[in-house]
Coordinates of all heavy atoms in Angstrom, one line a residue:
N1 N 28.1 -99.5 -9.8 CA 29.3 -100.1 -10.3 C 30.5 -99.1 -10.1 O 30.3 -97.9 -10.1 CB 29.1 -100.4 -11.9 CG 28.1 -101.4 -12.1 OD1 28.1 -102.5 -11.6 ND2 26.9 -100.9 -12.8
K2 N 31.5 -99.6 -10.0 CA 32.7 -98.7 -9.7 C 33.3 -98.3 -11.1 O 33.4 -99.0 -12.2 CB 34.0 -99.6 -9.1 CG 35.2 -98.7 -8.9 CD 36.2 -99.5 -8.2 CE 37.5 -98.7 -8.0 NZ 38.5 -99.5 -7.3
I3 N 33.4 -96.9 -11.2 CA 33.8 -96.3 -12.4 C 35.3 -95.7 -12.3 O 35.4 -94.9 -11.4 CB 32.8 -95.2 -12.9 CG1 31.5 -95.8 -13.1 CG2 33.2 -94.5 -14.1 CD1 30.5 -94.8 -13.5
D4 N 36.1 -96.1 -13.1 CA 37.5 -95.6 -13.1 C 37.7 -94.7 -14.4 O 37.1 -95.0 -15.5 CB 38.5 -96.7 -13.1 CG 38.6 -97.3 -11.9 OD1 38.1 -96.7 -10.8 OD2 39.0 -98.5 -11.8
F5 N 38.3 -93.6 -14.2 CA 38.7 -92.6 -15.3 C 40.1 -92.7 -15.7 O 41.0 -92.5 -14.9 CB 38.2 -91.2 -14.9 CG 36.7 -91.1 -14.7 CD1 36.2 -91.1 -13.4 CD2 35.9 -90.8 -15.6 CE1 34.8 -90.9 -13.2 CE2 34.6 -90.7 -15.4 CZ 34.0 -90.8 -14.2
V6 N 40.3 -93.0 -17.0 CA 41.6 -93.2 -17.5 C 42.2 -91.8 -18.0 O 41.5 -91.0 -18.6 CB 41.7 -94.2 -18.7 CG1 43.2 -94.2 -19.2 CG2 41.2 -95.5 -18.3
T7 N 43.4 -91.4 -17.5 CA 44.0 -90.1 -17.9 C 45.3 -90.4 -18.6 O 46.0 -91.3 -18.3 CB 44.1 -89.3 -16.7 OG1 45.1 -90.0 -15.7 CG2 42.8 -89.0 -15.9
E8 N 45.5 -89.5 -19.4 CA 46.9 -89.5 -20.2 C 47.5 -88.1 -20.2 O 46.6 -87.1 -20.2 CB 46.8 -90.1 -21.5 CG 46.5 -91.5 -21.6 CD 46.6 -92.2 -22.9 OE1 47.3 -91.6 -23.8 OE2 45.9 -93.0 -23.3
Q9 N 48.8 -88.0 -20.3 CA 49.4 -86.6 -20.3 C 49.4 -86.2 -21.8 O 49.6 -87.0 -22.8 CB 50.7 -86.7 -19.8 CG 50.9 -86.6 -18.2 CD 52.3 -86.5 -17.8 OE1 53.2 -86.6 -18.6 NE2 52.4 -86.4 -16.4
V10 N 49.2 -84.8 -22.0 CA 49.4 -84.2 -23.2 C 50.9 -84.2 -23.5 O 51.7 -83.7 -22.8 CB 48.9 -82.8 -23.2 CG1 49.2 -82.2 -24.6 CG2 47.4 -82.9 -23.1
Q11 N 51.4 -84.9 -24.6 CA 52.8 -85.0 -24.9 C 53.1 -84.7 -26.3 O 52.1 -84.8 -27.2 CB 53.2 -86.4 -24.4 CG 52.6 -87.5 -25.1 CD 52.9 -88.8 -24.6 OE1 53.9 -88.9 -23.7 NE2 52.3 -89.9 -25.0
K12 N 54.3 -84.4 -26.7 CA 54.7 -84.3 -28.1 C 55.0 -85.5 -28.8 O 55.5 -86.5 -28.1 CB 55.9 -83.4 -28.1 CG 55.8 -81.9 -27.6 CD 56.9 -81.0 -27.9 CE 56.7 -79.6 -27.5 NZ 57.8 -78.7 -27.7
G13 N 54.6 -85.5 -30.0 CA 54.8 -86.8 -30.8 C 54.6 -86.4 -32.3 O 54.6 -85.3 -32.7
N14 N 54.5 -87.4 -33.1 CA 54.3 -87.3 -34.5 C 52.9 -87.7 -35.0 O 52.4 -88.7 -34.4 CB 55.3 -88.1 -35.3 CG 56.8 -87.7 -35.0 OD1 56.9 -86.6 -34.6 ND2 57.6 -88.6 -35.0
V15 N 52.3 -86.9 -35.9 CA 51.1 -87.2 -36.4 C 51.0 -87.1 -38.0 O 51.8 -86.3 -38.5 CB 49.9 -86.2 -35.9 CG1 48.5 -86.6 -36.5 CG2 49.8 -86.1 -34.5
S16 N 50.5 -88.2 -38.8 CA 50.6 -88.1 -40.1 C 49.5 -88.6 -40.8 O 48.6 -89.5 -40.1 CB 51.9 -89.0 -40.5 OG 51.7 -90.3 -40.1
N17 N 49.2 -88.3 -42.0 CA 48.2 -88.9 -42.7 C 48.8 -89.6 -43.9 O 49.9 -89.1 -44.4 CB 47.3 -87.8 -43.3 CG 46.2 -87.3 -42.4 OD1 45.9 -88.0 -41.3 ND2 45.5 -86.3 -42.7
S18 N 48.3 -90.7 -44.5 CA 48.9 -91.4 -45.4 C 47.9 -92.0 -46.4 O 46.7 -92.1 -46.1 CB 49.8 -92.4 -44.9 OG 48.9 -93.4 -44.1
I19 N 48.4 -92.5 -47.6 CA 47.6 -93.2 -48.5 C 48.3 -94.6 -48.8 O 49.5 -94.8 -48.5 CB 47.4 -92.5 -49.9 CG1 48.7 -92.3 -50.6 CG2 46.7 -91.3 -49.7 CD1 48.5 -91.8 -52.0
T20 N 47.5 -95.6 -49.2 CA 48.2 -96.9 -49.6 C 48.1 -97.2 -50.9 O 47.2 -96.8 -51.8 CB 47.5 -97.9 -48.7 OG1 46.0 -98.1 -49.0 CG2 47.7 -97.8 -47.2
A21 N 48.9 -98.0 -51.5 CA 49.0 -98.6 -52.9 C 49.9 -99.7 -52.9 O 50.5 -100.1 -51.9 CB 49.6 -97.5 -53.8
T22 N 49.8 -100.4 -54.0 CA 50.7 -101.6 -54.3 C 51.6 -101.2 -55.5 O 51.1 -100.5 -56.3 CB 49.8 -102.8 -54.6 OG1 49.0 -102.6 -55.8 CG2 48.9 -103.2 -53.5
G23 N 52.7 -101.9 -55.5 CA 53.7 -101.6 -56.5 C 54.6 -102.8 -56.8 O 54.4 -103.9 -56.0
T24 N 55.4 -102.8 -57.6 CA 56.5 -103.8 -57.9 C 57.9 -103.2 -57.9 O 58.2 -102.1 -58.2 CB 56.2 -104.2 -59.4 OG1 54.9 -104.6 -59.7 CG2 57.2 -105.3 -59.8
I25 N 58.7 -104.0 -57.3 CA 60.1 -103.7 -56.9 C 60.9 -103.9 -58.2 O 60.9 -105.0 -58.8 CB 60.7 -104.4 -55.8 CG1 59.9 -104.0 -54.5 CG2 62.2 -104.2 -55.6 CD1 60.3 -104.8 -53.3
E26 N 61.7 -102.9 -58.7 CA 62.6 -102.9 -59.9 C 63.9 -102.4 -59.5 O 64.0 -101.5 -58.7 CB 61.9 -102.2 -61.0 CG 60.5 -102.5 -61.3 CD 60.4 -103.8 -62.2 OE1 61.5 -104.3 -62.6 OE2 59.2 -104.3 -62.4
P27 N 64.9 -102.9 -60.2 CA 66.2 -102.2 -60.1 C 66.2 -100.8 -60.7 O 65.4 -100.6 -61.6 CB 67.2 -103.1 -60.9 CG 66.4 -104.5 -61.1 CD 65.0 -104.0 -61.2
V28 N 67.0 -100.0 -60.2 CA 67.1 -98.6 -60.6 C 67.5 -98.4 -62.1 O 66.9 -97.8 -62.9 CB 68.0 -97.7 -59.7 CG1 68.1 -96.3 -60.3 CG2 67.4 -97.7 -58.4
T29 N 68.6 -99.3 -62.4 CA 69.1 -99.4 -63.8 C 69.1 -100.9 -64.2 O 69.7 -101.7 -63.5 CB 70.4 -98.8 -63.8 OG1 70.5 -97.5 -63.5 CG2 71.0 -98.9 -65.3
E30 N 68.4 -101.1 -65.2 CA 68.3 -102.5 -65.8 C 68.2 -102.5 -67.3 O 67.6 -101.7 -67.9 CB 67.0 -103.2 -65.2 CG 67.0 -104.6 -65.5 CD 65.6 -105.3 -64.8 OE1 64.6 -104.8 -65.1 OE2 65.8 -106.3 -64.3
V31 N 69.2 -103.4 -67.8 CA 69.6 -103.3 -69.3 C 69.2 -104.6 -69.9 O 69.6 -105.5 -69.4 CB 71.0 -102.8 -69.6 CG1 71.3 -102.8 -71.0 CG2 71.3 -101.5 -68.9
E32 N 68.4 -104.6 -71.0 CA 68.3 -105.7 -71.8 C 69.3 -105.9 -72.9 O 69.5 -105.0 -73.7 CB 66.8 -105.7 -72.4 CG 65.7 -105.8 -71.4 CD 64.3 -105.8 -71.9 OE1 64.3 -105.5 -73.1 OE2 63.3 -106.1 -71.2
V33 N 70.0 -107.0 -72.9 CA 71.0 -107.3 -73.8 C 70.5 -108.2 -74.9 O 70.0 -109.3 -74.6 CB 72.2 -107.9 -73.1 CG1 73.3 -108.1 -74.2 CG2 72.8 -107.1 -71.9
G34 N 70.7 -107.7 -76.1 CA 70.2 -108.4 -77.3 C 71.3 -108.7 -78.4 O 72.5 -108.4 -78.1
T35 N 70.8 -109.0 -79.5 CA 71.8 -109.2 -80.8 C 71.1 -108.6 -81.9 O 69.9 -108.7 -82.2 CB 72.2 -110.6 -80.9 OG1 73.0 -110.7 -82.1 CG2 70.9 -111.5 -81.2
Q36 N 71.9 -108.0 -82.8 CA 71.3 -107.4 -84.0 C 71.7 -108.3 -85.2 O 71.3 -107.8 -86.4 CB 72.0 -106.0 -84.2 CG 71.7 -105.1 -83.1 CD 72.3 -103.6 -83.4 OE1 72.1 -103.2 -84.6 NE2 72.9 -103.0 -82.5
V37 N 72.1 -109.4 -85.0 CA 72.3 -110.5 -86.1 C 71.6 -111.7 -85.9 O 71.3 -112.1 -84.7 CB 73.7 -110.6 -86.5 CG1 74.4 -109.5 -87.0 CG2 74.5 -111.2 -85.3
S38 N 71.1 -112.5 -86.9 CA 70.5 -113.7 -86.8 C 71.6 -114.8 -86.8 O 72.5 -114.5 -87.4 CB 69.5 -113.9 -87.8 OG 68.6 -112.9 -87.7
G39 N 71.2 -115.8 -85.9 CA 72.2 -117.0 -86.0 C 71.9 -117.9 -84.8 O 70.9 -117.9 -84.2
I40 N 73.0 -118.7 -84.6 CA 72.9 -119.8 -83.5 C 73.8 -119.3 -82.5 O 74.9 -119.0 -82.6 CB 73.3 -121.2 -84.1 CG1 72.3 -121.6 -85.2 CG2 73.4 -122.3 -83.1 CD1 72.7 -122.8 -86.0
I41 N 73.2 -119.4 -81.2 CA 74.0 -119.2 -79.8 C 75.1 -120.3 -79.8 O 74.7 -121.5 -79.7 CB 73.1 -119.1 -78.6 CG1 72.2 -118.0 -78.9 CG2 73.9 -118.8 -77.5 CD1 72.7 -116.6 -79.0
D42 N 76.3 -120.1 -79.9 CA 77.3 -121.0 -80.0 C 77.8 -121.3 -78.3 O 77.9 -122.5 -78.0 CB 78.6 -120.6 -80.7 CG 79.6 -121.6 -80.8 OD1 79.3 -122.8 -80.8 OD2 80.7 -121.3 -81.1
K43 N 78.1 -120.2 -77.7 CA 78.6 -120.3 -76.3 C 78.0 -119.3 -75.4 O 77.7 -118.1 -75.8 CB 80.1 -120.2 -76.2 CG 80.8 -121.3 -76.9 CD 82.4 -121.2 -76.9 CE 83.0 -122.3 -77.7 NZ 84.5 -122.2 -77.4
I44 N 77.7 -119.7 -74.1 CA 77.2 -118.8 -73.1 C 78.1 -118.9 -71.9 O 78.5 -120.0 -71.4 CB 75.7 -119.2 -72.7 CG1 74.9 -118.9 -73.9 CG2 75.3 -118.3 -71.6 CD1 73.4 -119.3 -73.6
Y45 N 78.6 -117.8 -71.4 CA 79.7 -117.8 -70.4 C 79.0 -117.4 -69.0 O 79.8 -117.3 -68.0 CB 80.8 -116.8 -70.7 CG 81.6 -117.2 -72.1 CD1 81.3 -116.5 -73.1 CD2 82.3 -118.3 -72.0 CE1 81.8 -116.9 -74.4 CE2 83.0 -118.6 -73.4 CZ 82.8 -118.0 -74.5 OH 83.3 -118.3 -75.6
I46 N 77.9 -117.0 -68.9 CA 77.3 -116.6 -67.7 C 75.9 -117.2 -67.4 O 75.4 -118.1 -68.3 CB 76.9 -115.0 -67.8 CG1 75.9 -114.8 -68.9 CG2 78.1 -114.2 -67.9 CD1 75.4 -113.3 -68.9
D47 N 75.5 -117.2 -66.2 CA 74.1 -117.8 -65.7 C 73.4 -116.7 -64.9 O 73.9 -115.6 -64.7 CB 74.5 -119.0 -65.0 CG 73.3 -119.9 -65.0 OD1 72.2 -119.5 -65.4 OD2 73.3 -121.1 -64.5
Y48 N 72.4 -117.1 -64.3 CA 71.6 -116.3 -63.5 C 72.5 -115.9 -62.2 O 73.3 -116.7 -61.8 CB 70.4 -117.0 -62.9 CG 69.2 -117.2 -63.9 CD1 69.1 -118.2 -64.7 CD2 68.3 -116.1 -64.0 CE1 68.0 -118.4 -65.6 CE2 67.3 -116.2 -65.0 CZ 67.2 -117.4 -65.7 OH 66.1 -117.5 -66.6

């Protein structure tokens, strides 16, 4: 059988090791707005 030999040049590049994980995307700064008094919400001026 015919045998061909594959050659490649030694060249410069980047080599790295890594690990994998899963995570959740969050805003860097996120504030929860509440109220310190009990009562009925009368008006809301904002939405999502």
